[in-house]
Amino acid sequence: MSEECVRVAVRIRPLLPKEVLRHHQVCVRVVPSTAQVMLGSDRLFCFDHAFGPTASQDQVYESCVQPLVESLLDGYNATVFCYGQTGSGKTYTLGGGNQDEEGGIIDRVAQDVFLLLGKKTLNSDGVEATVRASYMELYKEDLRDLLEPHTIHKELHIRDDERGNTGKTVMHM
Ligand SMILES: Nc1ncnc2c1ncn2[C@@H]1O[C@H](COP(=O)(O)OP(=O)(O)OP(=O)(O)O)[C@@H](O)[C@H]1O
């Protein structure tokens, strides 16, 4: 893995059945054996990773995220976020989730965090670990606690943290 602080991966999802039925065409493809994508026939873009429509959830996780989980347990901070227009595959890549889909990044991170913590605590006497997780949705101006989906009306507010403008914190999570 490169030493860059910020790395960008692009994932091209397959056409959906409804898109195939409507004869939509694929307009972007990965240049084989590179991290480049070609838009149309002559516009080339470079990324740190490029995944085509046949890439598995495993491949995306192993190349882009797993190394971050390992460094997390060495004390580093890590952020992974998905960006893209509606329907481009952010939820699928992060969550997967439908019964017939493979699990996404969140499932795999959770599994690996506990697996690696298990190994660490086994190998080092007296080491204890606490894992805290929050899962929220910010849609327009509304925040939802996705670990308590029934509390739609729960009063959640974004505030500056005690250090001022450098971070944000959500009250009442
Ligand atoms: N790599 C993939 N392989 C197979 N199906 C995919 C893939 N990525 C996305 N899809 C499918 O494409 C559809 C749209 O994906 P998804 O809901 O993840 O988009 P999104 O970016 O989260 O959209 P929105 O911003 O509207 O929430 C879903 O039916 C999803 O199952």
Side-chain angles (χ1 to χ4, degrees), residues 35-56:
Q36 299 174 333
V37 299
M38 180 78 85
L39 185 59
S41 58
D42 57 356
R43 296 176 65 195
L44 197 60
F45 297 88
C46 297
F47 297 88
D48 296 297
H49 302 275
F51 299 98
T54 56
S56 66

Side-chain angles (χ1 to χ4, degrees), residues 11 13-14 16 53 84-93 98 101:
R11 184 178 199 183
R13 71 154 167 76
L16 301 176
Q85 73 174 58
T86 184
S88 55
K90 304 179 294 295
T91 309
Y92 180 94
T93 297
N98 293 346
E101 286 171 351

Side-chain angles (χ1 to χ4, degrees), residues 16-111:
L16 301 176
K18 63 178 179 191
E19 293 168 335
V20 173
L21 280 175
R22 289 179 196 147
H23 305 293
H24 289 190
Q25 301 292 315
V26 175
C27 64
V28 61
R29 65 185 173 83
V30 176
V31 180
S33 310
T34 73
Q36 299 174 333
V37 299
M38 180 78 85
L39 185 59
S41 58
D42 57 356
R43 296 176 65 195
L44 197 60
F45 297 88
C46 297
F47 297 88
D48 296 297
H49 302 275
F51 299 98
T54 56
S56 66
Q57 300 280 65
D58 235 359
Q59 281 171 292
V60 173
Y61 176 72
E62 277 175 18
S63 338
C64 300
V65 186
Q66 196 168 42
L68 296 177
V69 178
E70 283 159 14
S71 47
L72 192 72
L73 294 205
D74 291 332
Y76 294 95
N77 291 330
T79 299
V80 176
F81 76 93
C82 291
Y83 174 85
Q85 73 174 58
T86 184
S88 55
K90 304 179 294 295
T91 309
Y92 180 94
T93 297
L94 277 177
N98 293 346
Q99 274 164 357
D100 50 351
E101 286 171 351
E102 282 186 285
I105 287 172
I106 294 172
D107 311 36
R108 287 160 204 264
V109 166
Q111 274 175 27

Side-chain angles (χ1 to χ4, degrees), residues 160-168:
D160 287 341
D161 69 9
E162 65 272 16
R163 281 166 295 187
N165 295 324
T166 50
K168 300 287 176 209

